[in-house]
Amino acid sequence: MEDVTRRLEIIQAISDQVLVHLEADEFLDSLLERVREVMNVDTAVVLLLDRRERILVATAAKGIEEEVSQAAHVPVGQGFAGRVAAERRPVLIPDATSADLFNPLLVQRGLRSLLGVPLIGRGKLVGVMHVGTLTRRVFTEEETEVLQHAAAHAALAVQSLLSRAERAGALELQRSLVPSALPDVHGVEWTARYRPGTASLGGDWYDVFPLPSGEFGIVMGDVAGHGFAAAVVMGRMRSALRAYALESTDPAEVLHKLNRKMQHFEPDATATVLYAVCDPSWEQIRLSSAGHCPPVLALPGSPAAPVAVKPDVLIGLGEEVPRQSTTVKLPPGALLCFYTDGLVERRSSSIDSDIDRLCEAVYAGPPEEVSAAVMAALIGRQPTADDVALLVMRRTTTA
């Protein structure tokens, strides 16, 4: 028992480093090296579950490094590692030469005995850790306990590190796809703000671009989901919408084509999108909404109110459902406020009441001052869990 306790302490020591300075790959390399030493084995490997939870991918290895360099992978439920993942329990193979192994590298390396355990963190399967020896060996219950201990620490550490890396990657991707500066155009003033939420990042974005007709396209969208996957879908959707915007100046037709593309190539993705096309004179704007929150319109001398635009079905749903565009007049001085639901959606109140609060904050004034007033009224000092995108435009008095 003292030997087991000492081994566990050694594993604990290297596991604690993850909180200090190690990245995920460095941590796994260090952990596997320590596991190989304390268990006196020839190989130690970690395979992580892919995003679709179908394949285990070799991520770190000691003594059989070619698993990683050759991108070895194992389907869940097949072979040795796949069985460990499917059954979520330790699996011992005393004689690998007669076992049903999916990965030929294990046979080529000459491994005789294998012990594998699942990586489970916060109740979720993260991957598989296994060790092997070149000579026949029967692993004891104490050794299985040591490997399970190492796997438990690896699972939690990997979840933490990958979550941190994913958030950073999603944030960087979002920022790279949001316009760094709005175009300087005669006849209109505008400003925009984007604030990441405190929870997992989603797929909020806004976009402004000129069209060959001399008109301008304005987009405000929100992809369902969180993290890097949602940010990637957002990037693809943004590019596709820009392409379809070159083919038609009818917002409803553009969203129809976008919906058709997403349903065909990414059937699991959904998003709310508001697309608008502004005339070169800025006297009117044509809008189509795929389930997105209505923009708020403020006219000089009048209170602000939501634009009466019909919210058609979301992108990713109802390919044959017709979509429609709405035309809104913009007299000189008129101001439009586009936003994502992170600005107006709170658990403590209804979205309608929060849109009413937004209307109270919006007025036909300088866009920078209006956006500051909106953020102060609806965000204040409390950070939001969801992302917030805000775009405010005003037609100047001289078109």
Side-chain angles (χ1 to χ4, degrees):
M1 182 60 68
E2 291 183 0
D3 181 56
V4 173
T5 301
R6 183 185 63 81
R7 294 186 185 189
L8 295 178
E9 289 175 348
I10 293 174
I11 297 297
Q12 179 69 52
I14 187 63
S15 299
D16 288 343
Q17 293 187 37
V18 70
L19 301 176
V20 182
H21 65 277
L22 295 182
E23 298 295 333
D25 291 345
E26 296 174 318
F27 167 71
L28 290 175
D29 281 343
S30 299
L31 180 62
L32 290 182
E33 188 61 49
R34 195 61 59 89
V35 166
R36 194 164 69 153
E37 292 175 1
V38 300
M39 295 192 65
N40 191 27
V41 292
D42 298 298
T43 64
V45 179
V46 165
L47 301 98
L48 297 182
L49 197 62
D50 74 342
R51 293 184 182 277
R52 297 188 176 183
E53 301 186 354
R54 299 174 183 173
I55 300 292
L56 294 164
V57 181
T59 305
K62 291 297 178 181
I64 188 170
E65 285 79 4
E66 58 268 35
E67 277 222 48
V68 177
S69 60
Q70 295 180 25
H73 62 270
V74 180
V76 172
Q78 297 186 33
F80 168 55
R83 178 185 166 193
V84 175
E87 299 180 4
R88 297 195 177 194
R89 65 175 182 85
V91 173
L92 169 64
I93 297 183
D95 187 4
T97 59
S98 59
D100 180 22
L101 301 178
F102 180 86
N103 186 358
L105 288 173
L106 302 179
V107 177
Q108 295 169 8
R109 188 69 175 80
L111 293 175
R112 290 294 304 277
S113 298
L114 294 165
L115 172 63
V117 296
L119 271 66
I120 299 178
R122 303 182 183 94
K124 182 178 180 180
L125 181 69
V126 178
V128 168
M129 178 183 291
H130 68 72
V131 296
T133 58
L134 297 174
T135 57
R136 185 180 174 86
R137 174 170 162 184
V138 178
F139 291 96
T140 65
E141 292 184 5
E142 289 78 10
E143 289 172 326
T144 301
E145 181 183 354
V146 170
L147 192 61
Q148 287 179 303
H149 183 78
H153 282 281
L156 292 174
V158 166
Q159 282 181 321
S160 175
L161 290 167
L162 292 183
S163 176
R164 186 191 311 166
E166 182 177 275
R167 178 176 173 83
L171 180 58
E172 183 62 28
L173 178 58
Q174 282 184 312
R175 286 175 171 168
S176 70
L177 294 175
V178 169
S180 57
L182 296 174
D184 185 9
V185 183
H186 181 70
V188 66
E189 301 172 330
W190 40 28
T191 188
R193 297 192 182 195
Y194 170 75
R195 190 191 186 288
T198 56
S200 298
L201 289 167
D204 290 24
W205 93 98
Y206 67 88
D207 199 8
V208 178
F209 48 84
L211 295 169
S213 61
E215 298 169 307
F216 267 83
I218 298 176
V219 184
M220 186 64 67
D222 185 358
V223 174
H226 298 285
F228 192 75
V232 169
V233 172
M234 176 268 285
R236 293 174 183 156
M237 195 173 295
R238 172 185 181 270
S239 297
L241 192 152
R242 279 189 164 207
Y244 295 133
L246 294 176
E247 299 176 358
S248 173
T249 58
D250 179 10
E253 184 177 352
V254 171
L255 291 186
H256 171 75
K257 291 182 177 181
L258 176 64
N259 186 47
R260 185 168 179 266
K261 181 264 184 188
M262 296 304 295
Q263 283 194 299
H264 182 76
F265 290 105
E266 303 192 57
D268 296 330
T270 58
T272 66
V273 180
L274 180 72
Y275 179 50
V277 175
C278 300
D279 287 354
S281 64
W282 302 98
E283 294 178 355
Q284 67 179 19
I285 184 170
R286 301 187 304 284
L287 307 161
S288 186
S289 171
H292 200 81
C293 299
V296 169
L297 174 65
L299 302 178
S302 301
V307 173
V309 54
K310 179 179 179 292
D312 297 321
V313 297
L314 278 63
I315 298 299
L317 303 175
E319 181 180 339
E320 301 306 321
V321 177
R323 297 180 181 275
Q324 65 181 28
S325 296
T326 300
T327 300
V328 177
K329 298 294 184 180
L330 295 179
L335 178 139
L336 269 173
C337 175
F338 304 87
Y339 54 96
T340 55
D341 61 7
L343 182 69
V344 295
E345 200 169 58
R346 300 290 181 272
R347 292 183 179 179
S348 58
S349 58
S350 70
I351 190 168
D352 288 338
S353 64
D354 287 323
I355 290 179
D356 289 341
R357 289 176 57 213
L358 173 61
C359 290
E360 292 173 0
V362 172
Y363 59 96
E368 193 61 52
E369 294 179 11
V370 173
S371 65
V374 166
M375 296 298 284
L378 280 88
I379 303 300
R381 296 183 177 181
Q382 298 299 321
T384 60
D386 201 3
D387 301 349
V388 173
L390 173 67
L391 175 65
V392 179
M393 63 162 287
R394 181 177 68 158
R395 181 187 170 195
T396 57
T397 55
T398 55

